[in-house]
Amino acid sequence: MINHHYKLISILLSLLLIQPACAIDIFGHDVGVDDGLAGVVGGAGGFWFGTAVVLPVAAGLVAAGTAPVWLPAVAVIGCVAVGAVVADAGWRYLSGKDNTDAAVVTGEKNVSNTNYINNTEAYQKIAGFKQYSEESAARDILELRNTLDSSICNYNYKTEGTLSDVIINLEGPERIYGFSAFPISVELTEAITGSENKSYVNIDYISIYLVDSSGRKWNEKRINDIPTLWKDCEEHEGDIHKVSYNVTMKAPDPYIGKANSMISNIPNRDTLKELMDAEVKKFEIIVEVHGNAQLYKIERTSHTSEDGHTYTRESEEFDKTININTKLKSLDAWNNEKNGKYYTNGASASLPVDYINNLELIAYAGYSNGATSNIISRTWASCTHVYNSSSKYRFVAIGQPKNLEPVPVTITDDYRAVVLRLNSNSSNLVSQTPGNFHDMGVHSEVQTALNYLYNKNTETYETYFLVVADVDDGYSKVPIWYITRPLVSVINNLKYSISDEDRKEIADLTADGSISESDRKRINEIIDLAEKSTKQKRDVVESKSNSGYYTNENAKVASKNAINDYSKALEYLQKSKTTDNPEDVKRYTYLSASCYEPAGDYWSQAAEKYEQGYTEEAEALANNAKKLEELAKEYEPSVLFAGGQALLEKFHEIKSGLGIAHVPDETFIIVAIILIIGTIYVLKR
């Protein structure tokens, strides 16, 4: 009996190893003997599962009277059917029979012509999707506004001195960012008790100011001509019982003079960096109230009339004066103070030089500081920034008078956009755009071109946008400042080894789905030049690395990453010269010239910035390199597939040695399934 079963398995194996020529068409699919055999194998597996696992369960249900008697038979038939369908579907998927392009699942994807020629995915990875438009500008500004908005709340305080017959309420913002002007509300309400209706409170003046930790007084506002506060009674129903005053204050700011000098004089990096890193120091709000309470009393006198009757007469007479000299101290404003420096997300550094003709403006990441509750901004700029070139900038800024309510204010300004060229010893102004927005209560923007003039000592460039403004509350003007620095990094004029024109030519040569001898010759010519260029880039970094040029640890890591990425680029160029698959040619050259080579460029320039001490710029460049490495992974085989490929190559060697190289790999998968199921079946018998 066992021999009989082995004969049956042998027949099935033989039928699979012989490639049948006959097939029929069912609903547009070629169905042949191989499909039938796959179905038989799957059905056999389903039958085994049905009888071994499902049948006992179904029989138990029938015995318990909870299922009909036909359930076991239907369950087993269902398992056979499902096994057959699943096995054939798997067979057709693995063999590619249902794919008109006969594609094989490899763990990697092909590059579309549009992406290959225009590098659209790399652009989106690095630049993001925030291209400039009025809508996107308004949306970004709204997001920043919502983040920085504040509302008014009560402030607690401690009292020194004498305070009589009046209640003081102090209010201010729940959040204050940086060196921003903020509203303070002081409300005085008479609180005369135990004295008569003619009593009143007379306030000579109110003084509001800040005191820092050293005891220095800042931004004093003095309020005079305060009306008399009468006792709240029927006799004085129409008189004033309560007054409130709203003023603007600002945290102690030793930097406003420096900010003004950067607008009116030649800017320097040390001062601009000092502004970027400035932090608010601890302060108290002080409210002094000076005046007096005039209190009256009731005097009763007895009088006897001519007819001998005695009566009592009452009158309100002056009783006494109580001086009011009080000082309120509150730390609540300081407790609600937040760091003014904040980060805005967006693109960073620069796109590679190949995008220099792309005129779209993109939103850049950056840091801002200063009066960030009063002014917010967003920077859009060209996507590419290269030595000895100009780039467009659009600075969008808007005042935030809402954060100063209930104080009615106007914000007027002067601004300056500057580019500094830096070397190890100094910074020089190489480009600037001064101006003003006038009333900053509305959306304001300036578009300008800034230049990156280069000389042999140039190490890097930094761009700043600085605003100084006055907040006028009617009592006095509070000077404020705001600075932002977009994370732009100007790059060397390093071009791709395979140009736009070269990529278009390769796409045209491979468009017909094949590679002729003449196509191969031309493609190899392009690749040979690309190899030479990429190797030169790698050699430069290797030479610096081997000579001990890099002493900074981050620079050493970045240079190593650059060498690795250049090496990967060269590996893919080599692969593209040996494959006959047109899609592989595109994919390998894309991975080389659009992913790993520019990633190497970013790492090599990041190494320079790290070594020179420009950490923020180095990190921006490194971040772009990582984005391109991530993009490369989308077009590379997965780790599992790469390991499988190695095993498959070894398997092909064995097939060739046995003289059965013509038998498809998929057939051996089915053979293995038959052997496994057949062995289980025979052993169970």
Side-chain angles (χ1 to χ4, degrees):
M1 179 63 70
I2 292 178
N3 290 334
H4 172 73
H5 293 305
Y6 279 127
K7 288 178 181 179
L8 178 60
I9 294 171
S10 299
I11 292 169
L12 291 173
L13 294 178
S14 300
L15 287 170
L16 275 169
L17 291 172
I18 299 169
Q19 291 303 295
C22 59
I24 59 173
D25 184 272
I26 298 179
F27 299 117
H29 298 278
D30 288 328
V31 179
V33 176
D34 56 340
D35 292 289
L37 291 174
V40 169
V41 172
F47 178 77
W48 175 81
F49 181 80
T51 55
V53 179
V54 178
L55 183 59
V57 176
L61 293 174
V62 171
T66 57
V69 293
W70 45 263
L71 179 63
V74 171
V76 173
I77 293 170
C79 289
V80 172
V82 170
V85 171
V86 170
D88 187 50
W91 164 255
R92 298 183 70 86
Y93 175 74
L94 289 170
S95 62
K97 289 186 69 174
D98 284 334
N99 190 332
T100 55
D101 295 328
V104 180
V105 178
T106 64
E108 58 195 354
K109 67 178 183 180
N110 292 333
V111 187
S112 70
N113 273 352
T114 300
N115 182 29
Y116 183 73
I117 296 169
N118 300 319
N119 273 327
T120 51
E121 287 193 24
Y123 177 81
Q124 291 166 355
K125 278 279 187 184
I126 301 172
F129 293 92
K130 289 195 172 183
Q131 285 78 42
Y132 177 80
S133 69
E134 290 186 6
E135 293 78 12
S136 61
R139 187 165 55 250
D140 272 14
I141 292 295
L142 180 61
E143 289 176 4
L144 290 171
R145 271 183 158 177
N146 292 337
T147 300
L148 301 173
D149 269 354
S150 182
S151 56
I152 297 298
C153 63
N154 286 317
Y155 278 8
N156 298 314
Y157 57 81
K158 294 180 179 179
T159 305
E160 294 180 0
T162 57
L163 178 62
S164 175
D165 300 294
V166 66
I167 296 173
I168 302 175
N169 187 54
L170 184 63
E171 293 182 335
E174 63 178 357
R175 288 195 302 271
I176 308 167
Y177 290 92
F179 298 92
S180 299
F182 58 87
I184 288 294
S185 178
V186 179
E187 182 182 79
L188 278 65
T189 305
E190 66 79 24
I192 299 170
T193 57
S195 296
E196 300 311 311
N197 293 344
K198 290 178 68 174
S199 300
Y200 62 90
V201 174
N202 181 47
I203 302 298
D204 297 327
Y205 70 91
I206 301 170
S207 178
I208 307 170
Y209 55 90
L210 306 182
V211 172
D212 63 22
S213 54
S214 69
R216 179 181 172 183
K217 184 186 291 188
W218 295 80
N219 307 322
E220 184 174 13
K221 299 284 179 77
R222 182 166 172 144
I223 302 169
N224 301 304
D225 301 324
I226 300 168
T228 299
L229 303 180
W230 294 93
K231 182 176 180 178
D232 189 2
C233 60
E234 186 175 348
E235 184 178 337
H236 294 287
E237 186 175 357
D239 292 326
I240 296 172
H241 313 291
K242 179 192 298 185
V243 291
S244 63
Y245 296 95
N246 302 311
V247 298
T248 53
M249 305 300 291
K250 187 182 75 164
D253 183 6
Y255 302 98
I256 184 63
K258 295 180 179 181
N260 276 315
S261 72
M262 293 298 95
I263 291 288
S264 56
N265 300 319
I266 297 174
N268 64 82
R269 184 181 187 241
D270 289 343
T271 303
L272 292 171
K273 274 188 63 65
E274 187 179 4
L275 295 176
M276 284 299 310
D277 298 331
E279 294 183 358
V280 176
K281 305 301 182 184
K282 186 176 181 179
F283 64 89
E284 278 187 310
I285 294 177
I286 308 295
V287 178
E288 292 186 18
V289 179
H290 298 276
N292 55 73
Q294 301 292 322
L295 304 181
Y296 283 73
K297 63 183 179 179
I298 294 290
E299 287 192 352
R300 296 178 176 86
T301 57
S302 297
H303 297 274
T304 302
S305 63
E306 292 180 356
D307 57 6
H309 291 89
T310 300
Y311 64 93
T312 300
R313 187 174 68 182
E314 293 184 353
S315 63
E316 292 189 19
E317 303 294 335
F318 177 76
D319 181 19
K320 57 189 171 183
T321 297
I322 297 181
N323 290 324
I324 299 172
N325 293 295
T326 190
K327 182 184 289 187
L328 282 59
K329 295 182 175 182
S330 177
L331 282 169
D332 279 12
W334 162 249
N335 293 333
N336 293 345
E337 176 74 43
K338 311 294 181 185
N339 186 12
K341 188 173 184 178
Y342 68 89
Y343 174 80
T344 307
N345 199 12
S348 60
S350 168
L351 266 73
V353 179
D354 283 53
Y355 293 93
I356 199 164
N357 293 322
N358 189 323
L359 301 180
E360 280 187 318
L361 302 184
I362 59 176
Y364 269 85
Y367 289 97
S368 301
N369 199 12
T372 48
S373 287
N374 304 144
I375 300 172
I376 54 179
S377 75
R378 192 69 156 112
T379 303
W380 277 262
S382 303
C383 62
T384 304
H385 304 265
V386 183
Y387 292 159
N388 275 332
S389 69
S390 298
S391 290
K392 284 186 178 180
Y393 280 83
R394 188 188 295 264
F395 298 100
V396 178
I398 188 167
Q400 288 281 76
K402 181 181 176 183
N403 281 344
L404 291 160
E405 292 176 354
V407 184
V409 300
T410 56
I411 303 175
T412 56
D413 77 296
D414 290 294
Y415 67 73
R416 194 177 196 182
V418 301
V419 172
L420 300 182
R421 181 178 61 213
L422 311 183
N423 58 40
S424 58
N425 300 315
S426 64
S427 64
N428 301 102
L429 176 67
V430 293
S431 188
Q432 65 171 320
T433 299
N436 59 67
F437 294 129
H438 304 293
D439 183 1
M440 291 195 69
V442 296
H443 181 98
S444 306
E445 63 180 65
V446 57
Q447 181 166 312
T448 185
L450 297 174
N451 303 314
Y452 306 116
L453 300 178
Y454 179 81
N455 65 28
K456 64 179 182 179
N457 297 318
T458 301
E459 291 183 347
T460 193
Y461 300 82
E462 290 179 350
T463 302
Y464 295 90
F465 182 67
L466 177 65
V467 177
V468 295
D470 288 325
V471 177
D472 190 349
D473 64 358
Y475 292 101
S476 63
K477 293 180 179 180
V478 176
I480 59 173
W481 57 271
Y482 173 89
I483 189 170
T484 187
R485 183 193 161 206
L487 291 183
V488 168
S489 183
V490 185
I491 61 174
N492 293 321
N493 194 2
L494 295 173
K495 293 187 176 182
Y496 289 170
S497 295
I498 299 180
S499 66
D500 291 350
E501 293 76 13
D502 291 337
R503 288 196 300 273
K504 188 175 185 309
E505 186 175 357
I506 292 173
D508 290 341
L509 292 172
T510 57
D512 61 358
S514 63
I515 300 177
S516 66
E517 288 187 17
S518 60
D519 294 340
R520 169 54 64 195
K521 181 180 178 182
R522 176 56 188 146
I523 289 171
N524 284 0
E525 287 175 357
I526 295 171
I527 292 171
D528 286 341
L529 291 173
E531 281 184 313
K532 182 179 179 182
S533 174
T534 306
K535 191 174 184 305
Q536 286 175 344
K537 291 180 179 181
R538 186 181 66 178
D539 290 346
V540 169
V541 183
E542 282 185 332
S543 175
K544 288 184 176 181
S545 182
N546 294 335
S547 67
Y549 171 81
Y550 300 113
T551 57
N552 178 281
E553 288 303 316
N554 288 326
K556 292 178 182 178
V557 172
S559 64
K560 182 179 178 182
N561 290 339
I563 293 167
N564 289 340
D565 280 348
Y566 285 141
S567 297
K568 287 182 181 179
L570 289 167
E571 287 174 16
Y572 278 114
L573 289 177
Q574 276 296 318
K575 284 187 174 184
S576 63
K577 291 167 70 173
T578 57
T579 181
D580 292 325
N581 185 329
E583 291 300 331
D584 283 347
V585 170
K586 283 167 55 181
R587 179 167 49 252
Y588 295 153
T589 51
Y590 178 80
L591 283 165
S592 174
S594 297
C595 296
Y596 282 116
E597 182 194 348
D601 293 343
Y602 278 127
W603 280 121
S604 68
Q605 294 181 83
E608 290 293 325
K609 302 304 180 190
Y610 278 127
E611 187 64 28
Q612 294 163 347
Y614 304 114
T615 303
E616 283 184 354
E617 289 187 48
E619 289 176 350
L621 291 162
N623 186 47
N624 284 354
K626 293 173 184 176
K627 289 178 180 178
L628 290 176
E629 290 168 347
E630 290 171 5
L631 177 62
K633 288 181 174 63
E634 297 178 21
Y635 290 91
E636 292 179 312
S638 66
V639 175
L640 288 175
F641 178 76
Q645 279 288 89
L647 291 174
L648 188 60
E649 289 174 5
K650 189 67 177 176
F651 178 60
H652 287 165
E653 290 180 18
I654 296 171
K655 280 171 59 179
S656 298
L658 296 174
I660 53 173
H662 64 284
V663 180
D665 298 338
E666 297 85 355
T667 299
F668 284 92
I669 296 173
I670 301 299
V671 168
I673 293 172
I674 292 174
L675 288 173
I676 292 169
I677 294 175
T679 302
I680 293 172
Y681 176 70
V682 170
L683 291 174
K684 284 180 68 68
R685 297 289 293 179

